[in-house]
Amino acid sequence: MRFSKNKLSKRLKACVALTVLTSVAATSVARAHQGGNPDRLTPKAQKNLLKSLKPQSYPTGPIQQPPYATDPAGNGPTGKAKKKQGTTGNLFERTLAAIADAIVPSAQAAVPAGSQVDLKVLVIATDGNEPSYAAITSFLDMASVPYDTLLAANDSTLLTSGCNLVAKLYVGATASACAPTTHAAYQAVILTTSTLVYCTTSSCQYAFGYPAWTALAAYEKQFGVREANLYTIPGGWRPNCLTDPTCPSDTLGLVAATGPNGLSYQDTTATPITNATLSSVGQTVFPYINAANPLTISNAWTYFAAPVDSTTKALLTVPNGAGVSVLASAYANPDGREVMALTMDHNPNLIHSVALGYGVINWVTKGVFLGERQVSMLAQPDDLLIPDDRWDTTCPSISTLNTQGYLNPPYAAAPSGYSLSQPGCTPSDLAYAATAPSEYPNLDPKITSAIMSWYSAKGIDPTTVQYRMTGQDLQNVVNWQNGVRGTATGAAFRLEFPFNGYGTSAFANDTLTPAVKTNKNQFNWISHTYDHAYLNPTAPYPNPVSTGVFSAAISTSTILSEWNQNDTIARNTLQLTNYYKDSVVHPSISGLDYYNSMLALGPTKFNAKFSVTDTSVPDEQGVYPNTGWWNYTASNANSMLEIPRYPLNLYYNVTTPDEWVSEYNYFYGPGGSFASDFWNLGRNIAYNEILGHESDTWLLRLLKGDQNPIMAHQSNLRAFTWSGPADSTIGLTAGPNHTLLGDVINATLTKYNKIFNLPLLSPSLHNLGLQYQRRTDRFLNRSGITATYNQAAGSQTISISYTKPAATGSGTTSGVTNCDPGYRPLPGPGSDLRPLPCSNQNTAWTWYTATKSQNPNPATSVTVPLTGVTYGTSPLVYGGQTTSYVTLSSGATVNVSVPSAW
């Protein structure tokens, strides 16, 4: 239900009378997805979700190979360099080789004594347009690993000199001196393509010349820095042979081979590779991948390779008839350098890319880096203990209303937001519109009137089309959840229910409340206000043009009472465990920009710390993975962290497959309101197909390590019997005790378990909030954090320090003097450090102009995750790795002992 108790009773009384009406105020058959209520997605939000079903596509194609003559040093494909020993390039190479050999006298991949290496990754791309560049930067961001990028095509000197590269690679080095130091700026190097070729409209060319490749090789040899190549053409020409200037190129340990299709390459867009298998060595590099199942490579151009000799270790292979072809490898170069090569293209949304991405990062950093990775499945079904409206599959389409004479004159085309041919609507929305027409400003009153007449003729009361879970429903959820917990990856899984305590005493013959008490230990719990009160004033908001036009303010005491009543129900009536007062979910995600609402939750009153937002609204999306942003509506102190939450295309008003299929096709089927035929099937989509698409979206987030919670609703947990066809690809079987949300989760886990063996975590919003708070502070204050590996004789440490940066973002006063003391305007798109209110109606608005990524209150201390090293009292062991959390005060340095040398 969308309203508070008082509003609820008034609306029900008013709406009962509507059953005999033939005309009501403006509303819509699609009201569930219009207006400002995120529980009822706006058209714009629905389109954002639509995009998530088909992630951004990236072009895939072969790596181009320009003529060898483009190399300024004159090296050619025959393996014989033109012996110009007096050239700058060759002289530079010999100098770097001599320095590297003096420091590393024999082939080894280790940091020599007296050296320092900063914990940061360097990503080298050509121009940044490579799909693999988007992939690796997104994966580094997701794991919060610090990195810099070098877009080589932007620096033309890299074709003829390596001095600018030297200045970037070595701390303290300059391009003019062009000399290495003993302090490395990066612990790892990742190349988007193995040859760094890029193409313009007229030609293709290399971004690195001979001296730059030589400088990179010398750097990697000097410090034992590993290199990963995301998209490799086997045998591709690359002139960086440090020990032998007559060699044609660096092979990376691979030569071209024939694949299962008889060719040396395959475009997997039309013909995926479905049987790629990890070798025994590959399983040690990618231990989190379920090696019992093959990995699929799709939508990416892929080369087939063979090892040059036994020093090349195959990681991922595919049968080719006579043996196997290599798709990923690790190679120990005779001069001591270690390189990884993957022969397929990547983008951020390909399953093979997200599956392999973390392993690449972990290998190239030698398993020690600033950052962390966890896989969390956190589902929050809102509105427990109160009803939600339902979608009516029998509600007539516009075409039917035309045919039966309810629309006169008939509609030849559907208005925006409507379907002409698809049936269905949320009937209670039509009834509510009559009592609050201003809440339905974009709806068609003629269509609403026609549908209400249709309901009246059928003798149906629209307000009764709702659903509230029963005690048996909840017990069914408990049984299902225990089944998930019995799987290898699901032992820690649990749902988290945002609840409304009003429902504990408002319903006769209530079986749900006793079931909640009985099963209180089975779930996590979040307060959702006592009776789902809407925490923003209703329209009109303050109007800077029309003096004195204001909505009625909602007092801080009224809002505080909503939270306090629900807290009392949680502690006394239900006696909930796994409940934290400091974590809340705002009904309809309202009140986060309302001064009185946030003041009620502030440190001196309810003292909430964490709330969620709705990521289908652009301004409520995060700017960095697995972080939130500080709410500054009522205070400029860091007191309330907003955490992004994803909605599903599993709507608040559906309880059965028939209802979901009807509403889903209302949007996406032929003639749908948001797409004429989104899936290009020429037909409506079926239940198992919906599960397939929605689980694909959720799966991608899990594999990436995206920990944002997922929004659902209690109505999605109604038990039903599935009598349709089984589908093993999504774990759908015939039988009783299904739920919509459970079936989506089952489908997601069926796919996840085939790819990953990592255990799923389900932290409470409180515990997730603590993690997001650490990461948000680290992101906002990242410029003040440094970490350096120090290699001494016989011992090694990592020194981590923090210096509080300068504040960014400032206060601004508007020139508008008409102001509601309880409400103020948003400072603009992209700004979520919230404005302060005016003190009276004749005082100008004042607000912070900082965006989410700006930092008006720098932290005095930050906590940094360090993976691969045990430190402190509470390290996290996950997926076979240890992550320690190092707390740093501004101006202080913490030294962490590293047990073995790099």
Side-chain angles (χ1 to χ4, degrees), residues 168-188:
K168 188 170 185 67
L169 293 174
Y170 298 86
V171 175
T174 62
S176 57
C178 204
T181 69
T182 58
H183 191 159
Y186 304 100
Q187 67 178 124

Side-chain angles (χ1 to χ4, degrees), residues 28 86 125 164 242 244 261 285 328 371 377 439 455 484 502 534 555 628 630 665 667 699 706 748 758 810 833 867:
S28 164
N164 281 356
L242 182 63
D244 181 5
N261 61 353
V285 176
M377 176 175 260
E439 295 181 16
Y455 274 115
V484 175
Y502 165 71
Y534 190 69
S555 69
W630 293 106
N665 286 306
F667 299 132
L699 171 68
D706 188 333
T748 305
L758 280 173
S810 59
L833 300 182
T867 292

Side-chain angles (χ1 to χ4, degrees), residues 120-126 130 132-133 135-137 139-140 145-150 169 186-194 196 216 219-220 225-231 238 340 342 346 357-365:
K120 186 179 286 189
V121 173
L122 177 63
V123 176
I124 302 178
T126 58
E130 307 96 307
S132 55
Y133 176 78
I136 193 59
T137 53
F139 302 154
L140 289 164
V145 177
Y147 67 94
D148 287 336
T149 60
L150 171 61
L169 293 174
Y186 304 100
Q187 67 178 124
V189 176
I190 300 176
L191 279 68
T192 57
T193 61
S194 60
L196 293 181
L216 178 63
Y219 173 80
E220 293 170 353
V225 168
R226 286 178 170 176
E227 172 188 306
N229 296 265
L230 298 176
Y231 187 22
R238 187 171 105 169
M340 175 184 282
L342 286 73
H346 302 274
Y358 180 80
V360 172
I361 294 169
N362 192 50
W363 181 88
V364 79
T365 59

Side-chain angles (χ1 to χ4, degrees), residues 320-609:
N320 63 7
V324 296
S325 299
V326 176
L327 301 179
S329 64
Y331 174 60
N333 195 295
D335 65 11
R337 291 174 293 135
E338 296 177 275
V339 295
M340 175 184 282
L342 286 73
T343 66
M344 74 291 293
D345 206 350
H346 302 274
N347 78 47
N349 299 316
L350 295 179
I351 295 297
H352 69 264
S353 299
V354 295
L356 296 170
Y358 180 80
V360 172
I361 294 169
N362 192 50
W363 181 88
V364 79
T365 59
K366 302 181 181 179
V368 179
F369 55 86
L370 292 185
E372 60 185 327
R373 189 271 299 263
Q374 297 169 37
V375 180
S376 294
M377 176 175 260
L378 178 54
Q380 298 174 340
D382 288 358
D383 303 348
L384 188 71
L385 296 169
I386 59 174
D388 284 303
D389 303 329
R390 281 176 56 198
W391 180 265
D392 183 2
T393 63
T394 69
C395 185
S397 67
I398 295 176
S399 295
T400 299
L401 293 172
N402 286 339
T403 301
Q404 296 183 2
Y406 287 97
L407 283 173
N408 192 12
Y411 279 57
S416 176
Y418 292 85
S419 170
L420 186 67
S421 58
Q422 295 280 357
C425 69
T426 306
S428 52
D429 280 354
L430 308 181
Y432 297 151
T435 63
S438 62
E439 295 181 16
Y440 300 75
N442 300 316
L443 308 183
D444 189 311
K446 293 182 179 179
I447 296 176
T448 296
S449 175
I451 295 176
M452 289 303 297
S453 297
W454 183 89
Y455 274 115
S456 179
K458 301 291 184 182
I460 298 173
D461 179 356
T463 66
T464 63
V465 187
Q466 301 172 339
Y467 192 78
R468 178 180 183 265
M469 286 177 66
T470 66
Q472 185 57 51
D473 285 336
L474 189 68
Q475 186 59 54
N476 177 66
V477 173
V478 171
N479 297 340
W480 163 79
Q481 182 174 265
N482 286 337
V484 175
R485 289 178 181 171
T487 63
T489 60
F493 174 77
R494 68 171 62 214
L495 295 175
E496 184 166 43
F497 278 107
F499 65 94
N500 302 93
Y502 165 71
T504 60
S505 58
F507 298 91
N509 304 315
D510 180 17
T511 60
L512 180 57
T513 299
V516 169
K517 294 178 180 179
T518 300
N519 295 289
K520 61 186 178 183
N521 297 326
Q522 300 297 317
F523 307 104
N524 294 329
W525 306 93
I526 320 175
S527 182
H528 196 37
T529 71
Y530 177 67
D531 52 15
H532 207 280
Y534 190 69
L535 302 182
N536 274 345
T538 55
Y541 292 134
N543 187 329
V545 177
S546 302
T547 303
V549 179
F550 303 105
S551 58
I554 308 174
S555 69
T556 298
S557 60
T558 297
I559 295 172
L560 179 59
S561 176
E562 278 284 335
W563 297 111
N564 281 335
Q565 285 185 83
N566 218 40
D567 182 60
T568 299
I569 293 291
R571 297 179 184 279
N572 298 337
T573 303
L574 300 175
Q575 298 182 350
L576 297 177
T577 53
N578 307 318
Y579 161 75
Y580 296 90
K581 178 183 177 182
D582 66 359
S583 306
V584 298
V585 173
H586 287 63
S588 306
I589 317 299
S590 62
L592 288 169
D593 55 0
Y594 181 45
Y595 181 79
N596 289 353
S597 173
M598 297 313 297
L599 187 62
L601 289 171
T604 63
K605 298 187 184 301
F606 195 75
N607 197 26
K609 302 292 186 183

Side-chain angles (χ1 to χ4, degrees), residues 63-65 126 191 193-197 206-208 213 229 231 233 236-238:
I63 296 178
Q64 302 296 325
Q65 297 188 79
T126 58
L191 279 68
T193 61
S194 60
T195 55
L196 293 181
V197 172
Y206 294 98
F208 268 18
W213 284 118
N229 296 265
Y231 187 22
I233 179 170
W237 188 69
R238 187 171 105 169

